[in-house]
């Protein structure tokens, strides 16, 4: 059996995903980070960006995450996000409209959120 880590991704309003994984890649204020079983303990601040989880069964879970924290110790990874959506929950057309609206309003943070949602949705 391959080494695994337990992952729990939680948003302010719900548990988004939990399960066993072999790799998690997330964007932090220090840059992108990959966490595998046995990684050094860490605590970081999440930036808006896609989070990719390679599950123990060989699948991939992608989520759009907007802010929060990442914590890892004892092969347990917690992603505590302000907002998180799994890629299959994202309405691509709605995200495209939100991006256009944000660009026309010159709203950089709304543009970034819409771009992250589109990145996650197209990574399915």
């Amino acid at each position: 059996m391959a080494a695994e880590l337990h992952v729990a991704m939680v948003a302010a309003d719900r548990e988004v995903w939990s399960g066993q994984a072999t790799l998690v890649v997330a964007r932090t204020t220090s840059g992108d980070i990959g966490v595998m079983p046995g990684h050094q303990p860490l605590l970081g601040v999440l930036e808006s960006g896609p989070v990719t989880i390679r599950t123990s069964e060989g699948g991939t879970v992608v989520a759009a995450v907007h802010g929060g924290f990442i914590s890892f110790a004892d092969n347990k990874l917690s992603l505590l996000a302000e907002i998180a959506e799994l890629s299959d929950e994202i309405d691509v057309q709605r995200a495209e409209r939100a991006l256009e609206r944000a660009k026309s309003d010159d709203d950089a943070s709304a543009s970034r959120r819409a771009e992250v949602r589109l990145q996650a949705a197209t990574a399915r």
Side-chain angles (χ1 to χ4, degrees):
M1 183 168 118
E4 299 177 333
L5 55 104
H6 180 75
V7 179
M9 183 184 314
V10 180
D13 60 343
R14 67 188 175 116
E15 180 178 75
V16 179
W17 188 87
S18 70
Q20 299 300 113
T22 58
L23 171 68
V24 177
V25 178
R27 180 157 297 152
T28 70
T29 54
S30 300
D32 288 354
I33 186 167
V35 179
M36 297 174 70
H39 195 282
Q40 290 291 101
L42 78 95
L43 177 62
V45 177
L46 291 171
E47 293 256 325
S48 288
V51 170
T52 303
I53 302 167
R54 301 274 186 232
T55 67
S56 297
E57 295 82 32
T60 301
V61 174
V62 180
V65 172
H66 307 285
F69 298 93
I70 183 171
S71 171
F72 181 77
D74 300 321
N75 278 336
K76 295 178 183 166
L77 179 74
S78 297
L79 298 155
L80 309 170
E82 293 172 23
I83 301 169
E85 298 173 272
L86 294 174
S87 61
D88 59 0
E89 299 172 338
I90 297 170
D91 180 335
V92 174
Q93 292 176 339
R94 182 174 172 224
E96 289 171 342
R97 289 191 305 269
L99 179 58
E100 290 304 314
R101 194 170 42 254
K103 285 181 178 179
S104 69
D105 293 344
D106 200 28
D107 186 342
S109 62
S111 285
R112 179 68 185 146
R113 284 190 305 273
E115 288 169 353
V116 167
R117 292 177 78 226
L118 288 169
Q119 286 174 348
T122 57
R124 294 182 201 170

